[in-house]
Amino acid sequence: MRVTALAGDVPAALASALEARGLDRVHAEALAAGGAAVALLVEPLDEPETSALMRGAARAGLDCHTGDGWALVAGTLARLGGLARPDPSAPLPDRLSLALGRFLHERQGEALAWRTARRAIPLERSCVVGILNVTPDSFSDGGRHLAPDDALAGARAMRAAGAAILDVGGESTRPGAARPDEAEERRRVVPVVRALVAEVGLPVSVDTRRSAVAAAALEAGAEIVNDVSGLTADPRMAGVVREAGAGVVIMHMRGDPQTMDARADYRDVAGDVAAELAERRDRALAAGIAPEQVVLDPGLGFAKHPAHNLALLDRLGGIVALGHPVMVGPSRKRFLGAVTGKPVDGRDAATAAACVAARMRGARLFRVHDVAAACEALAVADAVLGADGEGGGA
Ligand code: HH2
């Protein structure tokens, strides 16, 4: 299915007008991208797709004219986002939501950045997030980076390999993992964050579900909170993120690591996860977090059976269409073992392949253990998509 933009929009002019009125560039571009007008020709369409598109367009406040196998949809890009967004009560046929999601994602490419407590991280190219677990029991790198010196050495190697962000976690969230108490988690994380900020120079993210750990890590110089509970585990977490102006990863999970495996029960995994993420995102915005701070993550392996993870990767367009950069964390996870038959330490090629699959469907951030392999694979994906600064092509 093809989606062709017919009417030219003017996001650059809108952004300059907003900047001239005192808005900073990231905000101005984000607002301009949403407010710009566009007319799309969507074809070929069968009859159920045409009727679904007409109903969806009416719901989203868009104009829609249809002909034999085609439709013309006109309105603002923000409303188009509303059309592409999954609505479990009236889902768009897959082919249609994927095509619209892809169109929106390509459209956002130029203005895409992630606002953190310290900077705007550009996301035109793939952004690889290196995993530094300062835990004794993480499923793949447990015990390796417990001492700050080992963590620093690991972080420097990841920076040399092309990591753009370092994600430090003091709690293993593998299924059934025991939880350290808050003081222990803080003791593991904070000195490492402080050392990384002082000596490595990359943006640091803290992987935690506890607001007190997040606050202490932000105080030590971290600028992103990666919360696998999607801001649901700790009622104070959204306030900590808002106060610090931190970037936040809202990840999808059901239950907690002890209970999640029993909750992998979906009517339609891609639609259900997108709808549940949209709800968590809406709560974050209602708590005062700015849209530019938010990254969404489908939570591969969290309350998901292997087939769910594959379906989510295939149909990532529904999450991309929610209008925030998307992160995926397939690294060395069980579902890759189910596909390749490889043990945990033999899954880095499979991880890189999963990252590329996600990149081709609109993901921008990739949380991995083997940074070098992912960076190399994603450099090729970026080049294919023309996002490598070379303009794609030959
Ligand atoms: N996966 C893990 C932990 N944090 N954060 C995001 N945003 N996305 C993920 O997919 C994700 C995550 C689990 O992996 P890992 O950190 O390697 O293992 P463990 O939880 O055992 O430390």
Side-chain angles (χ1 to χ4, degrees):
M1 183 183 296
R2 280 188 313 282
V3 177
T4 315
L6 297 181
D9 55 281
V10 283
L14 272 179
S16 313
L18 293 170
E19 253 188 297
R21 280 158 186 78
L23 218 64
D24 63 80
R25 187 156 165 258
V26 175
H27 272 92
E29 285 181 346
L31 274 180
V38 65
L40 302 181
L41 184 61
V42 188
E43 59 185 348
L45 289 169
D46 61 23
E47 269 185 31
E49 287 169 339
T50 307
S51 347
L53 190 56
M54 285 173 70
R55 278 195 306 276
R59 206 180 60 232
L62 293 155
D63 288 330
C64 182
H65 307 275
T66 59
D68 187 14
W70 58 266
L72 181 68
V73 183
T76 62
L77 273 175
R79 289 195 170 183
L80 198 67
L83 172 64
R85 198 163 299 148
D87 174 355
S89 63
L92 281 185
D94 263 10
R95 214 163 63 111
L96 197 51
S97 69
L98 198 68
L100 287 170
R102 189 174 297 134
F103 172 84
L104 280 174
H105 149 70
E106 281 163 9
R107 208 42 184 255
Q108 282 170 348
E110 287 306 302
L112 216 58
W114 186 14
R115 166 66 64 88
T116 74
R118 297 186 160 214
R119 70 196 94 200
I121 298 176
L123 298 175
E124 283 88 4
R125 299 183 198 187
S126 296
C127 179
V128 171
V129 180
I131 302 173
L132 261 182
N133 283 319
V134 285
T135 53
D137 57 343
S138 283
F139 80 96
S140 123
D141 61 346
R144 253 201 259 155
H145 302 120
L146 262 178
D149 278 355
D150 295 340
L152 264 179
R156 289 199 179 103
M158 287 186 197
R159 182 185 58 191
I165 298 174
L166 299 169
D167 186 38
V168 179
E171 177 198 8
S172 171
T173 46
R174 71 178 199 287
R179 213 174 174 198
D181 66 24
E182 188 180 298
E184 170 63 13
E185 190 184 344
R186 200 197 298 223
R187 198 187 58 71
R188 290 176 185 175
V189 164
V190 172
V192 170
V193 168
R194 191 169 290 119
L196 295 177
V197 170
E199 309 218 12
V200 182
L202 289 178
V204 173
S205 144
V206 59
D207 184 346
T208 185
R209 294 181 282 159
R210 288 183 168 125
S211 63
V213 175
L218 291 165
E219 180 73 34
E223 55 196 271
I224 295 162
V225 176
N226 173 24
D227 182 349
V228 298
S229 82
L231 305 179
T232 63
D234 183 333
R236 285 189 287 273
M237 187 66 105
V240 165
V241 169
R242 181 192 58 234
E243 288 306 308
V248 60
V249 184
I250 298 181
M251 198 197 81
H252 179 272
M253 163 165 63
R254 283 181 174 174
D256 59 34
Q258 275 70 38
T259 60
M260 64 186 180
D261 276 357
R263 305 219 18 213
D265 170 23
Y266 300 93
R267 207 173 37 135
D268 157 29
V269 68
D272 292 354
V273 167
E276 289 167 31
L277 271 179
E279 199 182 298
R280 286 168 205 181
R281 183 274 317 267
D282 290 346
R283 267 194 267 147
L285 301 189
I289 295 172
E292 300 77 25
Q293 290 170 251
V294 174
V295 158
L296 299 176
D297 184 324
L300 299 172
F302 288 82
K304 321 275 177 340
H305 296 317
H308 293 142
N309 296 303
L310 298 172
L312 275 168
L313 281 172
D314 185 31
R315 294 175 53 207
L316 211 57
I319 298 175
V320 172
L322 295 175
H324 300 269
V326 171
M327 177 184 290
V328 290
S331 200
R332 300 179 182 168
K333 285 185 178 165
R334 251 186 316 173
F335 76 100
L336 297 176
V339 173
T340 62
K342 294 280 180 75
V344 171
D345 61 1
R347 295 178 190 159
D348 287 328
T351 298
C355 289
V356 168
R359 175 71 179 103
M360 302 313 280
R361 287 157 176 79
R364 296 283 172 148
L365 297 115
F366 307 87
R367 183 182 179 276
V368 298
H369 299 90
D370 184 346
V371 169
C375 282
E376 192 173 331
L378 287 163
V380 177
D382 284 354
V384 169
L385 292 168
D388 60 347
E390 305 293 327

